[in-house]
Amino acid sequence: MRVRLRVQNFAVLRAIDFEIPSGVNVLVGANGSGKSTVLDVIELLRHAYERGLQESLGHHFGGASQIRNYDAPPDADIVLGLDVGDVEWTTTLRITGGSLDAASPETLVARGQVKLRRQALSAEADFGDQKLKVGEYLAVRSAWDRNQDDEDLTTWRDFLRKYRVYRSYNYRLHDLSKFGSEASPDRSLDVSGLNAFSVFQNWYLQRPYRARHSFVCDSLRHIYPDYFRDFDFQVAGRTVTLQILTSRWGERPIQVSQESTGFMMAFLSLCAVASGEPGGLVAIDELENSIQPAAIERLFECIDEYSSTNDVRVLIATHSPVVLDQLRTEPSSIFVLDPGELSPSQPLPVPLDKLFDPGWLAQFSLGRLYTSLEYGAHRLPTNV
Amino acid sequence: MPTISLLVTGKTELKGLGALLGRLFPADFRYANASDQELRGFTSRDCREILDAPWSAESDLAWFVSHMVAEAFPGRHGDPPDLVIGVDDVELVNAGKEGVVVQVVRDAVRAHVEASFSGPARDRVYVQLRNRCSFHLLKPMVESYFFCEQGALDRAGRAASRTSRFAPADCDPEQFVVDDPEYIGVPEPRKPQVRKKSIRAILKQDWRFGAATRPRHPKKYIQFLCDEAGDGATAYRETTGGADALRALSWSHVLARPDQVPLLRSLLADISRLVEPRPELASLLAPGEPRCATWPPPQNNLLRNI
């Protein structure tokens, strides 16, 4: 299923046209190039679907006043678009006096035919022969609420609702390790990671989810073969926590509060990926944080295998040469937020094998090319 | 216009070598650096050790030759330049062992091609390398050639109170030795007690360190000539003064003595083979082709010249 994100003039993103392939893909770029913002935009759309654009913009970007790209002309449209399968959805944000206009125009096109249209500043949208009243929500939400059997709307909505973005630097690891998780019915990891142990226990206890528990345990054995054996749950009142059985300490389990940061980060990244639903997309910002390079390699292998066997797209924003080297034979899965020697107006990101000849790339470590500033780096002045 | 792609290991060469060559062959080629960044050189280590050590695909040498081969085949964007030239300094540690440097490059190129290609593609790569790829040396380093021309030293930032005692009439700059008591006689200061990384930067920039190699070290001598106060705080910067000196270097001065600078002449002989003979070029390059580790090409040449 095709997934394509389109963005114009939004925040640091001047022009994004990103068709996200299935499997694991990596997003690289210099600091400030917009990697995290790309991940944020899909999250913004998910929240906009659930709560409306106004609230979502406020939550993610502190409002509308600063969202226009600095390089964009003042009257340039700010466009957000998400295509899923045959369905293309687009909205244009209109900013007046630093505020988002109450009604942003929206279209949804399926197989070349316009199915949904909301004109700018209109309180109504046309969906087929229906006139839909649109409140603070997106028109596409109003359309689905009244047409839940519409396959196009459902396909688009389902993809968006399955999207999760995890930022490793936002995990509240200290609180999780020290205080555990509060028991909950959650079956997907929260962005803070605080519900990790509860989710992990639910996966273990509920047969349809047990494979996710096994994936995490098997992966940790692969990543730390001389160390990790298994987990034990500890429940006290409404608190769930884990003990870790290791090869190093025999039958004496160790508490998660004593566990290394790198191990816990790997655990959370695996839980993040296993929280993904078939057909969905999980994004991880800075997968590599705190994890030893050889462990990063193995973690990537595990994520790659899970992604392909469970139809979960994974998008990793990274600065890690180790991660990039894992895609040595698949440079088309590395997307660069930098046009390199292509035209500056080239929409981003660019697959690495479009920036360089694949035969040229094949002769190098892609990680070392990255550290040598050959791609995804701040441009240096040249002078021959 | 045909393109020559340069792979260099120094900031001075990155900013100045293309312009320098362009002044000698102005209408023949367009010069481009293969990369915005200089590559890490491999000659700061005694190349005899590389020759004896097990092959490492992670080494700086492997990285350097990977770039040479990849630029020549298939090219960064699938459109290889007409000529790829890799250039590294000989460095003092390898002075007099240019043949060894050349041998390790040949070995590394072969190892890279054998590891990266197979079948007909491998044969095509070898043909391409023989036709389009060269490796050349500057001896002992690019700054040596500045001493052929007083103006180059001025552009490099020579202090008004300093005068070069190196006489190109008496000594080939590629065999650089200077006997300047003001330079040689300065005692080596105690190493500063700072972080290891900072020490490396200080030792590199302060000509007073490494007194044993000082007489044969053209860059240190330039650093000295650009150090008005003599306290090690030199004004010489590779990316500014060094690049300015190199870009505008006078070819007539550098090539004034037919028996000098054979390694640099080798580079020029290599490029000259691709251009129509011209009387003015022939007279500048007289008496003809040099004989050194990088020229003439051997019978079993792997690259154009080695």
Side-chain angles (χ1 to χ4, degrees):
Chain A
M1 184 175 66
R2 185 179 73 131
V3 174
R4 179 183 175 206
L5 176 70
R6 293 173 284 112
V7 181
Q8 284 176 31
N9 304 321
F10 183 86
V12 71
L13 308 175
R14 187 78 165 94
I16 294 290
D17 189 345
F18 186 11
E19 189 151 335
I20 306 170
S22 56
V24 178
N25 296 281
V26 165
L27 195 57
V28 290
N31 291 126
S33 61
K35 297 183 299 298
S36 301
T37 309
V38 167
L39 309 187
D40 279 344
V41 167
I42 312 177
E43 180 82 338
L44 169 85
L45 295 180
R46 187 167 75 87
H47 285 166
Y49 184 88
E50 291 166 356
R51 299 170 203 167
L53 256 176
Q54 193 90 41
E55 186 179 330
S56 183
L57 274 174
H59 176 74
H60 286 276
F61 293 91
S65 60
Q66 299 293 320
I67 62 167
R68 184 185 300 284
N69 180 277
Y70 286 151
D71 292 330
D75 56 347
D77 284 342
I78 301 170
V79 179
L80 305 177
L82 179 67
D83 306 343
V84 180
D86 296 331
V87 185
E88 299 169 6
W89 173 87
T90 307
T91 189
T92 304
L93 309 185
R94 297 273 160 78
I95 313 294
T96 309
S99 300
L100 181 70
D101 287 354
S104 298
E106 241 179 286
T107 57
L108 185 138
V109 177
R111 294 166 297 284
Q113 301 292 315
V114 177
K115 273 188 93 161
L116 171 72
R117 186 191 300 279
R118 182 194 201 182
Q119 305 284 2
L121 304 175
S122 170
E124 292 184 330
D126 296 315
F127 182 73
D129 53 6
Q130 300 174 24
K131 281 273 182 210
L132 305 172
K133 287 248 180 277
V134 182
E136 70 268 34
Y137 295 113
L138 295 175
V140 67
R141 162 82 184 263
S142 301
W144 187 83
D145 284 348
R146 281 161 227 181
N147 298 275
Q148 298 190 5
D149 54 352
D150 185 282
E151 272 189 34
D152 293 328
L153 291 173
T154 303
T155 301
W156 189 86
R157 169 187 181 272
D158 281 358
F159 173 80
L160 199 56
R161 285 169 60 93
K162 290 175 183 171
Y163 178 68
R164 293 285 182 278
V165 56
Y166 297 96
R167 299 169 185 86
S168 61
Y169 44 84
N170 279 351
Y171 289 144
R172 291 172 59 188
L173 192 53
H174 175 76
D175 290 344
L176 174 68
S177 298
K178 194 168 177 188
F179 304 117
S181 298
E182 187 180 344
S184 77
D186 293 353
R187 289 188 294 260
S188 71
L189 185 70
D190 180 77
V191 292
S192 69
L194 279 177
N195 67 348
F197 302 152
S198 171
V199 168
F200 193 56
Q201 187 184 41
N202 293 338
W203 289 347
Y204 178 70
L205 295 174
Q206 297 172 30
R207 186 171 294 277
Y209 293 90
R210 190 160 299 160
R212 302 183 190 208
H213 174 276
S214 301
F215 159 70
V216 173
C217 291
D218 292 345
S219 297
L220 287 170
R221 286 185 204 104
H222 179 68
I223 297 167
Y224 302 103
D226 62 341
Y227 176 71
F228 176 73
R229 281 170 51 205
D230 210 344
F231 288 115
D232 256 351
F233 293 101
Q234 282 195 314
V235 181
R238 291 194 48 76
T239 300
V240 183
T241 189
L242 296 179
Q243 288 185 324
I244 300 162
L245 299 169
T246 69
S247 310
R248 192 174 303 166
W249 308 111
E251 293 308 309
R252 204 178 78 190
I254 65 166
Q255 306 300 317
V256 282
S257 57
Q258 297 172 296
E259 188 46 86
S260 69
T261 305
F263 180 91
M264 291 305 294
M265 293 297 269
F267 168 74
L268 288 173
S269 290
L270 292 165
C271 288
V273 171
S275 294
E277 299 293 336
L281 171 62
V282 173
I284 302 178
D285 201 358
E286 298 190 9
L287 172 80
E288 65 272 16
N289 271 354
S290 303
I291 305 175
Q292 196 265 350
I296 295 174
E297 282 184 17
R298 296 195 192 112
L299 174 63
F300 187 92
E301 288 168 10
C302 297
I303 293 173
D304 195 29
E305 189 178 335
Y306 187 85
S307 169
S308 60
T309 53
N310 293 278
D311 186 28
V312 176
R313 279 179 171 81
V314 178
L315 179 59
I316 297 170
T318 187
H319 288 294
S320 167
V322 178
V323 170
L324 295 168
D325 274 338
Q326 297 311 295
L327 291 166
R328 178 168 185 168
T329 58
E330 300 164 64
S332 60
S333 297
I334 297 175
F335 291 86
V336 187
L337 278 165
D338 174 355
E341 293 176 26
L342 302 176
S343 160
S345 60
Q346 162 78 33
L348 302 174
V350 187
L352 190 57
D353 64 348
K354 295 284 184 289
L355 284 180
F356 302 102
D357 185 274
W360 186 86
L361 287 170
Q363 298 184 53
F364 296 104
S365 143
L366 301 182
R368 187 161 176 188
L369 279 181
Y370 180 62
T371 57
S372 303
L373 313 184
E374 291 284 1
Y375 63 90
H378 289 286
R379 312 307 298 167
L380 297 172
T382 55
N383 192 353
V384 172
Chain B
M1 185 183 283
T3 301
I4 293 182
S5 182
L6 299 169
L7 280 157
V8 298
T9 58
K11 293 185 190 305
T12 306
E13 295 92 317
L14 187 74
K15 289 190 166 255
L17 185 57
L20 175 67
L21 293 171
R23 289 182 26 252
L24 194 58
F25 304 98
D28 304 294
F29 301 104
R30 191 177 72 83
Y31 300 87
N33 286 321
S35 170
D36 291 350
Q37 289 287 293
E38 75 276 16
L39 298 175
R40 206 177 289 175
F42 58 91
T43 49
S44 54
R45 181 178 171 195
D46 187 334
C47 283
R48 288 177 302 189
E49 293 173 11
I50 299 176
L51 208 55
D52 296 339
W55 168 246
S56 165
E58 307 298 320
S59 66
D60 291 332
L61 171 61
W63 189 245
F64 184 87
V65 301
S66 302
H67 273 274
M68 286 208 306
V69 176
E71 288 300 323
F73 186 91
R76 180 169 290 239
H77 304 294
D79 181 19
D82 299 274
L83 179 57
V84 176
I85 303 178
V87 182
D88 200 1
D89 293 339
V90 171
E91 300 287 359
L92 292 182
V93 70
N94 290 302
K97 295 174 283 212
E98 293 80 41
V100 178
V101 179
V102 164
Q103 187 58 46
V104 298
V105 171
R106 281 173 56 97
D107 291 351
V109 167
R110 192 173 283 114
H112 175 75
V113 173
E114 296 294 314
S116 306
F117 301 93
S118 59
R122 184 184 288 167
D123 298 336
R124 280 207 304 279
V125 174
Y126 280 128
V127 170
Q128 194 79 338
L129 292 176
R130 263 193 299 277
N131 292 330
R132 289 179 183 244
C133 188
S134 305
F135 173 73
H136 287 279
L137 287 163
L138 303 175
K139 184 181 174 184
M141 56 200 67
V142 68
E143 284 85 357
S144 329
Y145 305 99
F146 299 175
F147 289 93
C148 298
E149 183 210 348
Q150 185 62 38
L153 300 176
D154 295 340
R155 291 192 297 279
R158 182 181 64 84
S161 59
R162 302 279 190 205
T163 304
S164 169
R165 306 286 176 206
F166 180 86
D170 303 332
C171 179
D172 182 348
E174 289 188 355
Q175 306 291 339
F176 184 91
V177 180
V178 67
D179 183 15
D180 181 341
E182 286 185 44
Y183 168 61
I184 306 293
V186 175
E188 190 166 347
R190 288 182 60 181
K191 282 185 184 167
Q193 299 298 310
V194 290
R195 286 186 305 119
K196 205 171 175 183
K197 193 170 179 186
S198 306
I199 286 183
R200 276 205 298 274
I202 290 167
L203 298 189
K204 200 173 165 191
Q205 200 61 32
D206 189 337
W207 57 270
R208 296 172 304 165
F209 291 103
T213 59
R214 225 184 265 167
R216 298 187 298 122
H217 206 301
K219 184 152 91 180
K220 281 189 191 298
Y221 193 43
I222 287 187
Q223 288 172 337
F224 162 77
L225 294 175
C226 298
D227 180 2
E228 180 90 56
D231 59 1
T234 182
Y236 178 66
R237 297 288 177 270
E238 292 177 38
T239 51
T240 51
D244 288 345
L246 185 63
R247 272 189 217 112
L249 193 60
S250 162
W251 281 116
S252 59
H253 282 83
V254 175
L255 301 173
R257 294 164 193 85
D259 56 335
Q260 288 191 354
V261 294
L263 288 165
L264 183 62
R265 286 173 185 276
S266 155
L267 170 61
L268 305 181
D270 188 8
I271 298 174
S272 301
R273 280 204 173 175
L274 295 172
V275 303
E276 290 292 321
R278 292 198 294 268
E280 72 277 13
L281 198 56
S283 80
L284 201 56
L285 298 177
E289 300 197 331
R291 299 196 71 81
C292 60
T294 51
W295 203 263
Q299 288 288 323
N300 61 341
N301 58 319
L302 189 62
L303 307 183
R304 277 172 57 84
N305 67 318
I306 63 168

